[in-house]
Amino acid sequence: MVGDHNWVVKYYPNGNDKPGYISVYLVLDSSGDEGVKAKVTFSILDKGGEPVPSYIKVAPEHVFPFSGSDWGFGDFIKHEDLEGSVHLGGDSFRIKCDVAVKKIRSEETHANQFVVVPPSNLHRQLGDLLKSKDGADVAFRVGGKIFSAHRSVLAARSPVFKAELFGAMREKSGDPIEIDDIEADVFKSLLHFIYTDSLPETTHEGTDEGATQEDIATAGHLLVAADRYDIARLKLICEEILCNHIDSSMVATSLVLAEQHNYHGLKEACFEFLASPSNLEAMIASDGYQHLKTSCPSLLRELIARLLPVELTAAKDIIRDI
């Protein structure tokens, strides 16, 4: 029960009117109720019970006119996307449904039919501000390129930028701030996310469609940049992209990245991928394997111990201690 109303969720594993998709709908299930305004959010949960950013769908606010009326998504997620996701375990997955309710009077229902409130376009306006450079008061030199930005926006989005731009670490001169360990394209994507809370259109956020090896590599670099500037949501989005695009050629590199920066979700996804003997053999033959051996030998020992049968507990302990 939410807002003194009963609700149920309709789930169509083969789609309601969208073949190839899973459909989900929220249904008002309180007899006699009418004119109930509600906003519903459906999200797929990861193994830790947290919503996966790339699989969150928010439906526009809707008036449920009577009991039995529904509202939701006929195209919640494609079958192929779900089947290839690390969040599908043992042929099962979890969906969370968040409902926010506001009961309205019948006269309000009638009046609201003549008023259409558009969705927020703040992200577009801030994106335009970044592009126009209007009022920019800080500049960065990255890979020979100059990027202009606004101190207040950066500080509001990143505690690291806040310390660098307004704290004791702030730059005293008006010269561009030099950043040497981030590529220019990665820094450009970082700024885009800071202003718009989304990745550039060239990066396929959390999807399996159309992502190139370059997109995936960029997500790895952007993950490190997000970690450096402590932008939590961007870190999760990039980590999710890498989790959804693990293959034999890149899994060793992803494992090193996960170990060196403590990305637990990515590490577990790589271990799950390498549980397949064929994937493990292909990883050993990849270019990244030697780097994994030399940079993270303890991680290899942990992997071997994880792959041993459960009954060989003593052997696992010995391997971890080597």
Side-chain angles (χ1 to χ4, degrees):
M1 178 175 287
V2 179
D4 296 325
H5 306 285
N6 292 321
W7 305 88
V8 296
V9 173
K10 284 184 180 178
Y11 168 72
Y12 298 89
N14 295 316
N16 182 21
D17 54 0
K18 289 274 189 177
Y21 285 85
I22 288 174
S23 303
V24 288
Y25 300 91
L26 178 69
V27 183
L28 179 63
D29 193 40
S30 294
S31 178
D33 280 353
E34 60 181 29
V36 180
K37 181 185 287 187
K39 186 174 182 179
V40 57
T41 301
F42 288 102
S43 53
I44 289 180
L45 302 183
D46 61 21
K47 294 178 181 178
E50 296 298 323
V52 179
S54 55
Y55 293 131
I56 297 175
K57 280 199 171 184
V58 182
E61 200 171 70
H62 178 71
V63 176
F64 292 76
F66 50 82
S67 179
S69 54
D70 60 24
W71 188 241
F73 299 96
D75 57 350
F76 178 59
I77 185 172
K78 281 186 175 181
H79 287 163
E80 59 190 53
D81 291 345
L82 180 61
E83 290 166 1
S85 171
V86 296
H87 307 296
L88 180 65
D91 294 328
S92 66
F93 66 101
R94 291 183 291 172
I95 295 178
K96 181 181 180 182
C97 177
D98 292 299
V99 183
V101 175
K102 176 187 176 183
K103 192 168 184 178
I104 57 177
R105 299 188 301 271
S106 58
E107 59 267 24
E108 288 178 320
T109 304
H110 179 75
N112 283 342
Q113 293 176 352
F114 299 97
V115 177
V116 178
V117 179
S120 171
N121 63 349
L122 178 62
H123 62 291
R124 292 193 184 92
Q125 293 172 337
L126 288 177
D128 290 342
L129 181 66
L130 176 64
K131 291 177 183 177
S132 70
K133 305 178 185 179
D134 291 342
D137 56 2
V138 65
F140 300 89
R141 181 178 286 111
V142 187
K145 295 183 178 180
I146 300 295
F147 296 91
S148 299
H150 305 79
R151 291 173 182 266
S152 296
V153 176
L154 300 182
R157 298 280 281 156
S158 162
V160 177
F161 272 128
K162 183 176 182 179
E164 291 181 351
L165 299 174
F166 291 103
M169 300 168 57
R170 67 183 182 275
E171 294 284 337
K172 302 296 184 182
S173 70
D175 296 333
I177 299 172
E178 297 280 351
I179 298 180
D180 299 323
D181 52 354
I182 298 179
E183 296 177 1
D185 289 344
V186 174
F187 191 76
K188 182 178 180 180
S189 296
L190 179 72
L191 288 180
H192 180 91
F193 185 88
I194 286 174
Y195 278 74
T196 68
D197 206 41
S198 65
L199 295 179
E201 292 182 0
T202 54
T203 305
H204 297 76
E205 185 172 331
T207 70
D208 292 326
E209 296 183 5
T212 65
Q213 290 292 97
E214 184 178 356
D215 290 331
I216 300 167
T218 298
H221 295 308
L222 193 54
L223 174 57
V224 175
D227 193 28
R228 169 178 170 174
Y229 289 102
D230 196 13
I231 304 175
R233 185 169 183 269
L234 179 57
K235 286 193 289 185
L236 291 173
I237 290 174
C238 292
E239 189 173 2
E240 174 69 9
I241 291 174
L242 295 179
C243 286
N244 285 341
H245 295 89
I246 295 173
D247 61 29
S248 300
S249 65
M250 298 189 67
V251 65
T253 302
S254 295
L255 262 178
V256 172
L257 180 67
E259 182 72 1
Q260 292 179 342
H261 295 275
N262 196 29
Y263 302 138
H264 179 72
L266 179 58
K267 179 179 176 179
E268 289 300 313
C270 290
F271 277 1
E272 182 177 286
F273 177 82
L274 292 172
S276 163
S278 60
N279 290 341
L280 181 62
E281 290 177 5
M283 186 270 286
I284 293 173
S286 70
D287 294 336
Y289 177 64
Q290 289 301 321
H291 178 54
L292 173 60
K293 282 178 61 178
T294 56
S295 60
C296 301
S298 62
L299 183 60
L300 268 183
R301 292 194 292 270
E302 182 181 351
L303 172 62
I304 295 170
R306 289 277 290 269
L307 295 178
L308 287 174
V310 176
E311 56 268 19
L312 296 179
T313 303
K316 291 185 177 185
D317 293 337
I318 292 172
I319 290 172
R320 287 195 177 101
D321 291 337
I322 294 176

